[in-house]
């Protein structure tokens, strides 16, 4: 059984008992809840319930502090990843997981490690990510409809084995930041996009962030020639595809 946004109210078995975490208690007091905030709260609740459902975890146990079982830790790390990637502040994520806000990053890192090391978990996580994206997609820029820009994204997604939502979402670990940096470099060097356009296509990041990404990648290229050759080869591949298409 899969959960959708409309299932939130129609599945009473996923309603938290009294006293158990509810997103509204963490985000804002009920009397100050706006329409947009209410929608966000509903989506956060959906994510928590979906993860607990797919991983067969009792939601009551999520907010328990102390050492968690591997399965509970899987649920916490998956929720941490999904909410962080949708730019929910760590201070709002932490209470639902029974951890400190400074530990949310560690939970997200565990998610990536588990995806690399455990095929069974990876399959479940991919399904959860797909279901979440149907209800709470990460907004994509209209520029992604431009074939050259879309193909540049696809090349980086293939090179780094990352879904698009990681490139445009709120996760900022070293690996994803490197992928964004290379993507920014190719968008500027091969497609001549301006900083504002690159920021827009990378999840509405400001131009100073893009400047930092470009400085980072140029520094790495100058420091590590082998890495620089990989980046330049990606650029050549992009040109070859463009020439082949236009020809």
């Amino acid at each position: 059984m899969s959960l959708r946004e409309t299932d939130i109210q129609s599945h009473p078995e996923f309603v938290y008992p009294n006293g158990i975490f509810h997103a509204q208690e963490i985000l804002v007091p009920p009397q100050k809840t706006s329409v947009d905030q209410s929608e966000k709260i509903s989506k956060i609740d959906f994510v928590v319930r979906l993860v607990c459902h797919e991983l067969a975890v009792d939601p009551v146990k999520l907010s328990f502090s102390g050492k968690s079982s591997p399965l509970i830790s899987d649920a916490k790390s998956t929720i941490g990843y999904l909410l962080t990637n949708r730019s929910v502040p760590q201070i709002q994520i932490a209470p639902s997981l029974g951890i400190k806000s400074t530990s949310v990053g560690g939970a997200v890192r565990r998610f990536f490690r588990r995806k690399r090391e455990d095929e069974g978990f990876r399959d479940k996580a991919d399904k959860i990510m797909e279901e979440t994206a149907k209800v709470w997609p990460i907004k994509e820029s209209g520029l992604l409809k431009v074939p050259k820009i879309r193909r540049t994204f696809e090349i980086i997604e293939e090179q780094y084995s990352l879904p698009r939502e990681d490139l445009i979402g709120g996760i900022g670990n070293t690996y994803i930041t490197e992928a964004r940096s290379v993507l920014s470099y190719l968008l500027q060097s091969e497609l001549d996009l301006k900083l504002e356009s690159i920021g827009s296509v990378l999840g509405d990041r400001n131009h100073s962030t893009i400047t930092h990404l470009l400085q980072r990648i140029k520094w790495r290229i100058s420091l590590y020639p082998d890495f620089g050759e990989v980046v330049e080869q990606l650029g050549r591949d992009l040109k070859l595809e463009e020439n082949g298409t236009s020809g």
Side-chain angles (χ1 to χ4, degrees):
M1 178 178 64
S2 296
L3 294 177
R4 296 289 191 276
E5 189 171 21
T6 54
D7 294 325
I8 293 175
Q9 300 300 327
S10 59
H11 284 274
E13 66 269 28
F14 293 103
V15 175
Y16 296 128
N18 289 337
I20 303 305
F21 156 74
H22 187 279
Q24 187 167 348
E25 298 172 0
I26 290 173
L27 290 173
V28 290
Q31 67 272 19
K32 295 182 181 179
T33 303
S34 66
V35 174
D36 288 344
Q37 195 74 353
S38 294
E39 181 181 1
K40 185 177 183 181
I41 290 168
S42 178
K43 288 177 178 178
I44 291 174
D45 277 345
F46 171 81
V47 168
V48 173
R49 295 170 190 176
L50 173 66
V51 172
C52 288
H53 172 67
E54 294 294 342
L55 296 183
V57 167
D58 182 354
V60 172
K61 297 180 180 179
L62 279 182
S63 57
F64 290 176
S65 58
K67 187 173 182 179
S68 301
S69 68
L71 191 58
I72 296 294
S73 295
D74 281 349
K76 289 183 176 184
S77 62
T78 304
I79 293 167
Y81 161 79
L82 292 168
L83 297 184
T84 301
N85 221 17
R86 283 155 179 79
S87 300
V88 178
Q90 293 183 345
I91 197 171
Q92 295 175 354
I93 298 172
S96 66
L97 306 183
I99 60 178
K100 297 178 180 179
S101 59
T102 53
S103 299
V104 174
V108 174
R109 289 191 293 273
R110 185 184 189 279
F111 173 83
F112 285 107
R113 184 175 69 252
R114 291 283 288 132
K115 279 198 74 177
R116 288 195 307 269
E117 297 174 352
D118 189 316
E119 184 177 355
F121 175 77
R122 181 166 60 250
D123 290 342
K124 290 179 181 179
D126 287 344
K127 179 182 179 183
I128 290 170
M129 291 167 64
E130 181 179 345
E131 294 295 314
T132 302
K134 293 175 182 177
V135 172
W136 195 356
I138 297 177
K139 184 180 178 181
E140 293 187 359
S141 167
L143 289 172
L144 272 166
K145 296 179 181 179
V146 178
K148 291 180 182 179
I149 295 176
R150 185 172 64 248
R151 182 55 191 150
T152 306
F153 264 81
E154 290 169 352
I155 285 176
I156 297 301
E157 291 162 17
E158 294 164 6
Q159 177 71 21
Y160 284 87
S161 298
L162 287 172
R164 183 163 303 171
E165 68 177 63
D166 283 351
L167 293 173
I168 64 177
I171 300 292
N173 66 31
T174 302
Y175 187 73
I176 294 176
T177 299
E178 179 183 299
R180 284 194 196 117
S181 298
V182 175
L183 178 56
S184 299
Y185 179 82
L186 293 177
L187 290 173
Q188 184 186 64
S189 63
E190 303 300 333
L191 276 63
D192 199 28
L193 286 193
K194 304 300 182 184
L195 295 178
E196 290 77 9
S197 296
I198 297 173
S200 174
V201 83
L202 279 176
D204 282 331
R205 286 173 163 81
N206 59 48
H207 73 277
S208 61
T209 299
I210 302 305
T211 298
H212 175 72
L213 289 174
L214 291 170
Q215 290 173 341
R216 172 192 176 94
I217 202 63
K218 290 173 182 176
W219 174 80
R220 287 209 65 196
I221 288 173
S222 66
L223 198 61
Y224 303 104
D226 290 344
F227 174 74
E229 177 55 33
V230 171
V231 175
E232 295 304 322
Q233 183 60 53
L234 292 175
R236 289 194 290 269
D237 291 344
L238 193 60
K239 285 180 178 177
L240 284 173
E241 289 189 13
E242 181 181 346
N243 293 336
T245 302
S246 61

